[in-house]
Coordinates of all heavy atoms in Angstrom, one line a residue:
A67 N 0.3 3.9 -18.8 CA 0.2 2.5 -18.5 C 1.0 2.2 -17.2 O 0.5 1.5 -16.3 CB 0.5 1.6 -19.6
G68 N 2.2 2.7 -17.2 CA 3.1 2.5 -16.0 C 2.5 3.1 -14.7 O 2.5 2.4 -13.7
A69 N 1.9 4.3 -14.8 CA 1.3 4.9 -13.6 C 0.1 4.1 -13.2 O -0.1 3.9 -11.9 CB 0.9 6.3 -14.0
R70 N -0.6 3.6 -14.1 CA -1.8 2.8 -13.7 C -1.4 1.5 -13.0 O -1.9 1.1 -12.0 CB -2.6 2.5 -15.0 CG -3.8 1.6 -14.7 CD -4.5 1.3 -16.0 NE -5.6 0.3 -15.8 CZ -5.4 -1.0 -16.1 NH1 -4.3 -1.5 -16.5 NH2 -6.4 -1.8 -15.9
D71 N -0.4 0.9 -13.6 CA 0.1 -0.4 -13.0 C 0.7 -0.1 -11.6 O 0.5 -0.9 -10.7 CB 1.2 -1.0 -13.9 CG 0.6 -1.6 -15.1 OD1 -0.6 -1.8 -15.2 OD2 1.4 -1.9 -16.1
T72 N 1.5 1.0 -11.5 CA 2.1 1.3 -10.2 C 1.0 1.6 -9.1 O 1.1 1.1 -8.0 CB 3.0 2.5 -10.3 OG1 4.0 2.2 -11.2 CG2 3.6 2.9 -9.0
A73 N -0.1 2.3 -9.5 CA -1.2 2.6 -8.6 C -1.9 1.3 -8.1 O -2.2 1.2 -7.0 CB -2.2 3.6 -9.2
A74 N -2.1 0.4 -9.1 CA -2.7 -0.9 -8.7 C -1.8 -1.7 -7.8 O -2.3 -2.2 -6.8 CB -3.0 -1.7 -10.0
I75 N -0.5 -1.7 -8.0 CA 0.4 -2.4 -7.1 C 0.4 -1.8 -5.7 O 0.3 -2.5 -4.7 CB 1.8 -2.5 -7.7 CG1 1.8 -3.4 -8.9 CG2 2.8 -2.9 -6.6 CD1 3.1 -3.3 -9.7
Q76 N 0.4 -0.4 -5.7 CA 0.3 0.2 -4.4 C -0.9 -0.1 -3.6 O -0.9 -0.3 -2.4 CB 0.5 1.8 -4.5 CG 1.9 2.2 -5.0 CD 2.9 1.8 -3.9 OE1 2.7 1.8 -2.7 NE2 4.1 1.4 -4.4
M77 N -2.1 -0.1 -4.3 CA -3.3 -0.5 -3.6 C -3.3 -1.9 -3.1 O -3.8 -2.1 -2.0 CB -4.5 -0.3 -4.6 CG -4.8 1.2 -4.9 SD -6.0 1.6 -6.1 CE -6.9 0.1 -6.4
K78 N -2.7 -2.8 -3.8 CA -2.6 -4.2 -3.3 C -1.7 -4.3 -2.1 O -2.0 -5.0 -1.1 CB -2.1 -5.1 -4.5 CG -3.1 -5.3 -5.6 CD -2.5 -6.1 -6.7 CE -3.4 -6.2 -7.9 NZ -2.8 -7.0 -9.0
L79 N -0.6 -3.6 -2.2 CA 0.3 -3.6 -1.0 C -0.3 -2.9 0.2 O -0.1 -3.4 1.3 CB 1.6 -2.8 -1.4 CG 2.5 -3.5 -2.4 CD1 3.7 -2.6 -2.8 CD2 3.1 -4.8 -1.8
D80 N -1.0 -1.8 0.0 CA -1.7 -1.2 1.1 C -2.7 -2.2 1.8 O -2.8 -2.3 3.0 CB -2.5 0.1 0.7 CG -1.5 1.2 0.4 OD1 -0.3 1.1 0.8 OD2 -2.0 2.2 -0.2
E81 N -3.4 -2.9 0.9 CA -4.4 -3.9 1.4 C -3.7 -5.0 2.2 O -4.2 -5.5 3.3 CB -5.2 -4.5 0.3 CG -6.3 -5.4 0.7 CD -7.4 -4.8 1.6 OE1 -7.5 -3.5 1.5 OE2 -8.0 -5.5 2.4
L82 N -2.5 -5.5 1.8 CA -1.8 -6.5 2.5 C -1.3 -5.9 3.8 O -1.3 -6.7 4.8 CB -0.6 -6.9 1.6 CG -0.9 -7.8 0.4 CD1 0.3 -8.1 -0.4 CD2 -1.5 -9.1 0.9
I83 N -0.9 -4.7 3.9 CA -0.4 -4.1 5.1 C -1.6 -4.0 6.1 O -1.4 -4.3 7.3 CB 0.2 -2.7 4.9 CG1 1.5 -2.8 4.1 CG2 0.4 -1.9 6.2 CD1 2.0 -1.5 3.6
R84 N -2.8 -3.6 5.6 CA -3.9 -3.5 6.5 C -4.3 -4.9 7.0 O -4.8 -5.1 8.1 CB -5.1 -2.9 5.7 CG -5.0 -1.5 5.6 CD -6.3 -0.9 4.9 NE -6.1 0.4 4.4 CZ -5.9 0.6 3.1 NH1 -5.9 -0.3 2.2 NH2 -5.7 1.9 2.6
A85 N -4.1 -6.0 6.2 CA -4.5 -7.3 6.6 C -3.6 -8.0 7.6 O -4.0 -8.8 8.3 CB -4.7 -8.2 5.3
A86 N -2.3 -7.6 7.6 CA -1.3 -8.2 8.4 C -1.5 -7.6 9.9 O -1.7 -6.4 10.1 CB 0.1 -7.8 8.0
E87 N -1.5 -8.6 10.8 CA -1.8 -8.2 12.2 C -0.7 -7.3 12.8 O -1.1 -6.3 13.5 CB -1.9 -9.5 13.1 CG -3.1 -10.2 12.8 CD -3.2 -11.4 13.7 OE1 -2.7 -11.4 14.8 OE2 -3.8 -12.4 13.3
N88 N 0.5 -7.5 12.6 CA 1.6 -6.7 13.3 C 2.2 -5.7 12.4 O 3.2 -5.1 12.7 CB 2.7 -7.7 13.7 CG 2.3 -8.6 14.8 OD1 1.4 -8.3 15.6 ND2 2.8 -9.8 14.8
A89 N 1.5 -5.4 11.3 CA 2.0 -4.4 10.3 C 1.8 -3.0 10.9 O 0.9 -2.7 11.6 CB 1.3 -4.5 9.0
D90 N 2.7 -2.1 10.5 CA 2.7 -0.7 10.9 C 1.8 0.1 9.9 O 2.2 0.2 8.7 CB 4.1 -0.1 10.9 CG 4.2 1.3 11.5 OD1 3.1 1.9 11.8 OD2 5.3 1.7 11.7
D91 N 0.7 0.6 10.4 CA -0.2 1.4 9.5 C 0.5 2.6 8.9 O 0.0 3.3 8.0 CB -1.4 1.8 10.2 CG -2.4 0.6 10.4 OD1 -2.1 -0.4 9.7 OD2 -3.3 0.7 11.2
L92 N 1.6 3.0 9.4 CA 2.4 4.2 8.9 C 2.8 4.0 7.5 O 2.9 4.9 6.7 CB 3.6 4.4 9.8 CG 4.6 5.5 9.3 CD1 3.9 6.9 9.5 CD2 5.9 5.4 10.1
L93 N 2.9 2.7 7.1 CA 3.3 2.4 5.7 C 2.2 2.5 4.7 O 2.5 2.5 3.5 CB 4.0 1.0 5.7 CG 5.3 0.9 6.6 CD1 5.8 -0.5 6.5 CD2 6.3 1.9 6.1
V94 N 1.0 2.5 5.1 CA -0.1 2.6 4.2 C -0.1 4.0 3.5 O -0.1 5.0 4.2 CB -1.5 2.3 4.9 CG1 -2.6 2.6 3.9 CG2 -1.6 0.9 5.4
G95 N -0.1 4.0 2.2 CA -0.1 5.3 1.5 C 1.3 6.0 1.5 O 1.4 7.2 1.3
I96 N 2.3 5.3 1.8 CA 3.7 5.9 2.0 C 4.2 6.5 0.7 O 5.0 7.4 0.7 CB 4.7 4.9 2.5 CG1 5.9 5.6 3.1 CG2 5.0 3.8 1.5 CD1 6.8 4.7 3.9
E97 N 3.6 6.0 -0.5 CA 4.1 6.5 -1.8 C 3.7 8.0 -2.0 O 4.3 8.7 -2.8 CB 3.5 5.7 -2.9 CG 2.1 5.8 -3.1 CD 1.2 4.9 -2.2 OE1 1.8 4.2 -1.3 OE2 0.0 4.9 -2.3
E98 N 2.8 8.5 -1.1 CA 2.4 9.9 -1.2 C 3.3 10.8 -0.4 O 3.2 12.1 -0.5 CB 1.0 10.1 -0.8 CG 0.0 9.2 -1.5 CD -0.2 9.6 -3.0 OE1 0.0 10.8 -3.3 OE2 -0.4 8.7 -3.8
R99 N 4.2 10.3 0.3 CA 5.1 11.1 1.2 C 6.2 11.7 0.4 O 6.6 11.3 -0.7 CB 5.7 10.2 2.3 CG 4.7 9.4 3.1 CD 4.2 10.2 4.3 NE 3.3 9.5 5.0 CZ 3.4 9.3 6.3 NH1 4.3 9.8 7.0 NH2 2.5 8.6 7.0

C-alpha cells in the first residue's frame, strides 16, 4: 500500500514539474536515480 501511494505521489509531482514553465525536466523521474 505504501509503495502504491508513493508511486501515485511521484506521478503527480512529475506532472506538476512538466506543467511548470521554468521547472527543470531533470527532476522528472528522479526517484529512479
Side-chain angles (χ1 to χ4, degrees):
R70 177 181 173 264
D71 289 345
T72 300
I75 290 170
Q76 288 300 325
M77 289 176 11
K78 291 175 184 179
L79 289 172
D80 287 349
E81 185 62 25
L82 288 173
I83 292 169
R84 285 187 199 99
E87 286 183 29
N88 296 327
D90 188 352
D91 287 343
L92 175 69
L93 298 177
V94 173
I96 197 169
E97 68 278 2
E98 302 294 329
R99 307 274 181 127

